[in-house]
Amino acid sequence: EVQLLESGGGLVQPGGSLRLSCAASGFPFRNYAMSWVRQAPGKGLEWVSVIYSGDSNTHYADSVKGRFTISRDNSKNTLYLQINSLRAEDTAVYFCAKGMTTVTVALQSWGQGTLVTVSS
Amino acid sequence: DIQMTQSPSSLSASLGDRVTITCRASQAISNYLAWYQQRPEKVPKLLIYGASTLQSGVPSRFSGSGSGTDFTLTISSLQPEDVATYYCQNYISAPLTFGGGTKVEIK
């Protein structure tokens, strides 16, 4: 069974940083594209970032480009999201999600999410 | 960047009704379109990928159609457990944008 377990969220001041982690199990992690999606309170889904399998090519939403960095450690079956220069509008539940293949990013499985709150 | 526009933003229908949600992409995305269901306070769930392929375990009352820029999600007979917000997503290329969502309620 696919399991994705996010951690690392919390309350942080504007301008601060956090590193989110997503521990994956139940599938060959290295063979799948992985993504982060966020959802602000009461709002819709917002795609944040993707990292592909193989060459670990990455892409970001314009709203986070230059501030967020996605990475993966295939030896630890773990996905990361380093988030810097946090703003109030980054307050959201952050989900990690598994793509369908190495490059296909229809998101087949989702974690429960970790809440990031940016406030002074 | 590709923009995804869903309509309506919300709808209310009776049990057993046929429900249709549309999603329009700002440029052609072939069939690289996924639909997700998010029940209240739950994690999103993949319903359909490739515009029309039902994810394993999804009830057959759900169906998807379309290609290019115009797509449709249909629930053939609305059930109580279908109360949720539905999102489309383009996955042809980054940014992998979601539509704004359609909230489905029971009348």
Side-chain angles (χ1 to χ4, degrees):
Chain A
E1 179 192 2
V2 171
Q3 292 196 2
L4 299 169
L5 183 62
E6 301 95 335
S7 60
L11 175 63
V12 62
Q13 292 188 339
S17 299
L18 281 175
R19 188 174 82 154
L20 308 183
S21 299
C22 173
S25 62
F27 67 101
F29 178 75
R30 66 177 60 248
N31 291 347
Y32 288 86
M34 298 293 295
S35 197
W36 287 97
V37 175
R38 69 184 181 182
Q39 187 168 35
K43 302 297 184 181
L45 300 175
E46 180 186 13
W47 174 79
V48 172
S49 184
V50 64
I51 186 167
Y52 293 101
S53 175
D55 62 0
S56 290
N57 193 17
T58 61
H59 295 279
Y60 299 91
D62 286 345
S63 58
V64 308
K65 204 172 291 184
R67 300 187 300 123
F68 289 18
T69 303
I70 190 172
S71 61
R72 64 192 300 162
D73 186 335
N74 290 334
S75 68
K76 296 182 178 179
N77 290 344
T78 302
L79 177 72
Y80 301 100
L81 187 69
Q82 177 68 42
I83 50 181
N84 299 330
S85 304
L86 278 159
R87 307 165 180 167
E89 55 265 35
D90 295 319
T91 294
V93 174
Y94 285 72
F95 298 100
C96 82
K98 169 186 169 290
M100 296 195 74
T101 71
T102 55
V103 296
T104 302
V105 206
L107 300 171
Q108 192 174 37
S109 303
W110 296 62
Q112 292 299 309
T114 186
L115 176 62
V116 172
T117 303
V118 184
S119 175
S120 55
Chain B
D1 294 355
I2 299 171
Q3 309 301 319
M4 307 300 293
T5 304
Q6 282 183 240
S7 61
S9 56
S10 66
L11 66 88
S12 181
S14 300
L15 292 175
D17 279 358
R18 184 181 185 89
V19 169
T20 299
I21 299 168
T22 63
C23 177
R24 175 164 289 176
S26 60
Q27 61 191 77
I29 59 171
S30 184
N31 66 338
Y32 290 88
L33 191 282
W35 288 99
Y36 302 87
Q37 175 193 62
Q38 188 177 29
R39 292 180 173 133
E41 308 306 318
K42 298 295 185 183
V43 173
K45 171 187 170 183
L46 177 65
L47 293 178
I48 287 169
Y49 60 94
S52 61
T53 302
L54 217 59
Q55 172 70 350
S56 176
V58 173
S60 58
R61 64 180 179 275
F62 290 92
S63 65
S65 65
S67 184
T69 60
D70 294 316
F71 302 88
T72 299
L73 173 69
T74 300
I75 308 173
S76 61
S77 177
L78 189 66
Q79 301 301 304
E81 59 269 32
D82 300 335
V83 169
T85 301
Y86 294 84
Y87 297 91
C88 61
Q89 183 208 17
N90 121 68
Y91 61 95
I92 192 169
S93 64
L96 308 171
T97 43
F98 287 91
T102 297
K103 187 174 184 179
V104 174
E105 298 177 321
I106 303 292
K107 192 181 295 182

